Amino acid sequence: MIRRLKLFAACALLGAGCTDAPAPRLVLLLTVDTLRADELGAYGSSRGLTPHLDELAGQSTLFTAAYAPAAFTLPSIAALLTGHHPEALGIRSNESGLPIGVPTLATALGESGWQAGAVVGNFVLRRESGVARGFQRFDDDFPSHEAVRHWPERDAANTTDAALELLDGCTQLPAARCFLWVHYQDPHGPYEPPPGWRDRYLAAERAAPDGRRQLPVGRDHRGLGAIPTYQYMEGRSEVAWYRAGYRAEVAYMDEQLGRLVAGIEARQRWRDAVVIFAADHGEALGDHGVWFAHGAGLTDDQVRVPFMIRRPGEPPARRDDVATLLDVFPTLLAHLGVASETAGRSGRDLFARAAAAGASVPYMATLGALPESQFALVADGFKFITVERDGVFDGRLYALGREDTELGAASPQLAAQMRERLGRLRSGVVPVTEAATAELSEADRERLRDLGYIERGEESASHP
Ligand SMILES: [Zn+2]
């Protein structure tokens, strides 16, 4: 009887379509750095890079139009973990810190008795960034160094090993319910897949119309018409060489993610596992004149992300209603029956009754990535991007998913409405209470300067 009552309560939360699914004992949050949605077979790619993610998509609700709030790591991940816009958190760059006292998925689940552990492969997400808060175990060991800049990082094989070890540590606890966050770094540049992997994709990339194009080397990390300095390797300047490297990194990550899933299956923990999968942002691969970079733009190549949620007992589905990474927080907590404070959060429960008939209204910003500010909004099948230079706003209007054609000149009234709506959204993003104190210490800041992550005398500089 008690079990039936519990099931009834869970069904009330889930809305229609509720089945007799076992109560989850594992929640897996899988995030991948720098992964464009359209690299996945489940999102229409025919390259076959992601068989394991495509299999996960076949067990999940996949959101075809999902957006990150920014095109670089810390703002996007902090928003996912808290449900707040990066600006509300005071996060404008990768050297910001998550404010003390803001509830995260880990703190909220921890208060409900979940054990929380995390493994991260991106140095930006080291514990000093504040994203470790609430995790009983947070593994930010970075055993290797990336090419070119030699910054600390962790590759996918090592990330999977560490994640399985962490899971074993959790499941050995009696009656434990485990929340495990795993962040794969590999598609992030410099593109340096394991030996031999790039060659698998080189011929196909050279056959692309611009595959044999030679690019100049840029002077910064933005990739405007040139190879970013942090990507430039082995004296290479051919487009195909870099694109093949990116695609090899995606395929390698997918293989290791598949190994993680197989490891969880072998531990009898997959069947009832709730899984949230997302990327923190995308990557420009020549789109809009930007090469092998992200962070300084709000076009779909940089901010549209793969996003899916697996709920055991629920049939797979594809949803076209627009979603944002800010929806993860309310959706997951509602699904697990964990109470959360909704004040100041704009995300929605994606599985609330009739949610599919609604839509999120993603608001995006370049934050501190550029001297001039860019802001964007997705609403009613359109996307509007503004660039602010010296107090003057220049707006561009697109049909969603069609950023090759600017519509503002033909539809000035619609552009004006979107501009006004964007302005209202911006003014509605207010700082989270007591958010003024970031955790980043001066010692950590000095370490970042030594690594070249923050340029001396340029505190606002941000790096993807
Ligand atoms: Zn990232």
Side-chain angles (χ1 to χ4, degrees):
M1 185 64 181
I2 290 170
R3 186 177 173 279
R4 280 203 159 278
L5 280 174
K6 273 188 179 168
L7 182 66
F8 178 79
C11 286
L13 285 163
L14 290 172
C18 181
T19 59
D20 194 354
R25 292 177 302 157
L26 173 64
V27 171
L28 194 59
L29 171 61
L30 297 174
T31 52
V32 176
D33 221 286
T34 321
L35 178 60
R36 290 168 67 119
D38 57 9
E39 294 296 304
L40 277 68
Y43 282 83
S45 170
S46 57
R47 294 188 176 86
L49 304 177
T50 58
H52 298 100
L53 281 173
D54 298 342
E55 195 176 333
L56 176 63
Q59 306 169 17
S60 304
T61 299
L62 179 147
F63 293 87
T64 61
Y67 285 87
F72 55 108
T73 306
L74 185 60
S76 184
I77 292 292
L80 187 156
L81 291 175
T82 64
H84 288 290
H85 281 291
E87 287 154 296
L89 298 167
I91 293 179
R92 295 184 53 78
S93 71
N94 275 338
E95 69 268 20
S96 303
L98 183 64
I100 296 163
V102 178
T104 68
L105 286 174
T107 60
L109 291 177
E111 284 169 9
S112 292
W114 288 75
Q115 295 288 320
V119 178
V120 295
N122 186 336
F123 181 71
V124 164
L125 301 174
R126 72 206 175 285
R127 66 177 59 247
E128 290 86 350
S129 71
V131 300
R133 192 173 319 119
F135 288 97
Q136 283 95 350
R137 290 188 64 191
F138 190 86
D139 185 339
D140 59 349
D141 187 22
F142 301 106
S144 48
H145 290 82
E146 64 179 34
V148 189
R149 298 178 299 190
H150 307 296
W151 289 352
E153 70 168 358
R154 164 182 236 149
D155 69 18
N158 193 296
T159 302
T160 289
D161 287 343
L164 289 171
E165 197 182 311
L166 212 64
L167 180 63
D168 286 338
C170 179
T171 54
Q172 282 164 10
L173 299 170
R177 291 178 297 161
C178 306
F179 169 50
L180 181 61
W181 171 35
V182 185
H183 183 87
Y184 288 97
Q185 162 76 350
D186 303 73
H188 194 292
Y191 309 140
E192 195 186 27
W197 283 68
R198 186 191 306 263
D199 294 341
R200 301 178 193 181
Y201 306 101
L202 208 45
E205 294 303 334
R206 284 190 171 137
D210 59 352
R212 291 187 178 271
R213 183 174 163 185
Q214 306 287 317
L215 294 172
V217 183
R219 292 184 178 171
D220 58 26
H221 56 253
R222 291 185 197 164
L224 288 170
I227 300 166
T229 45
Y230 78 102
Q231 291 273 20
Y232 183 56
M233 290 170 67
E234 298 182 18
R236 305 279 184 164
S237 56
E238 187 190 31
V239 165
W241 195 81
Y242 289 94
R243 282 202 189 123
Y246 176 74
R247 296 203 155 114
E249 294 269 31
V250 171
Y252 167 61
M253 171 279 300
D254 182 82
E255 183 184 84
Q256 290 299 322
L257 189 140
R259 193 166 69 82
L260 174 63
V261 172
I264 297 170
E265 279 173 338
R267 287 160 175 78
Q268 314 287 327
R269 287 278 173 157
W270 181 254
R271 197 175 74 83
D272 64 356
V274 172
V275 184
I276 297 118
F277 174 84
D280 61 347
H281 50 77
E283 179 85 322
L285 300 173
D287 311 71
H288 309 284
V290 180
W291 297 93
F292 317 125
H294 56 265
L298 298 176
T299 45
D300 273 9
D301 51 298
Q302 296 194 42
V303 291
R304 182 176 168 240
V305 292
F307 178 34
M308 49 187 142
I309 302 177
R310 176 187 193 261
R311 294 174 300 156
E314 293 295 320
R318 290 178 76 88
R319 293 252 305 260
D320 295 330
D321 50 309
V322 173
T324 142
L325 296 184
L326 276 74
D327 296 332
V328 169
F329 188 94
T331 300
L332 180 60
L333 295 193
H335 181 61
L336 298 174
V338 174
S340 67
E341 177 63 55
T342 56
R345 291 196 175 87
S346 61
R348 65 187 178 119
D349 173 7
L350 294 167
F351 299 121
R353 196 173 295 276
S360 304
V361 180
Y363 161 65
M364 295 157 252
T366 50
L367 308 169
L370 284 172
E372 70 267 17
S373 298
Q374 288 191 27
F375 306 93
L377 160 86
V378 171
D380 302 331
F382 293 94
K383 186 169 171 187
F384 188 74
I385 304 176
T386 65
V387 182
E388 183 184 13
R389 287 190 190 88
D390 304 322
V392 179
F393 282 89
D394 171 29
R396 289 167 286 151
L397 177 70
Y398 305 100
L400 197 56
R402 296 286 312 278
E403 294 179 358
D404 49 344
T405 310
E406 206 282 318
L407 301 174
S411 309
Q413 272 191 326
L414 180 58
Q417 285 169 14
M418 292 289 277
R419 185 189 301 274
E420 203 244 317
R421 198 163 171 185
L422 177 57
R424 265 187 285 134
L425 254 181
R426 279 187 65 198
S427 57
V429 178
V430 294
V432 177
T433 318
E434 299 166 20
T437 317
E439 277 192 345
L440 204 60
S441 67
E442 188 47 44
D444 191 43
R445 208 168 273 278
E446 189 58 39
R447 192 155 70 106
L448 290 177
R449 285 193 200 100
D450 289 344
L451 281 164
Y453 218 97
I454 308 177
E455 288 167 38
R456 288 179 190 281
E458 200 183 335
E459 283 295 298
S460 64
S462 165
H463 200 286

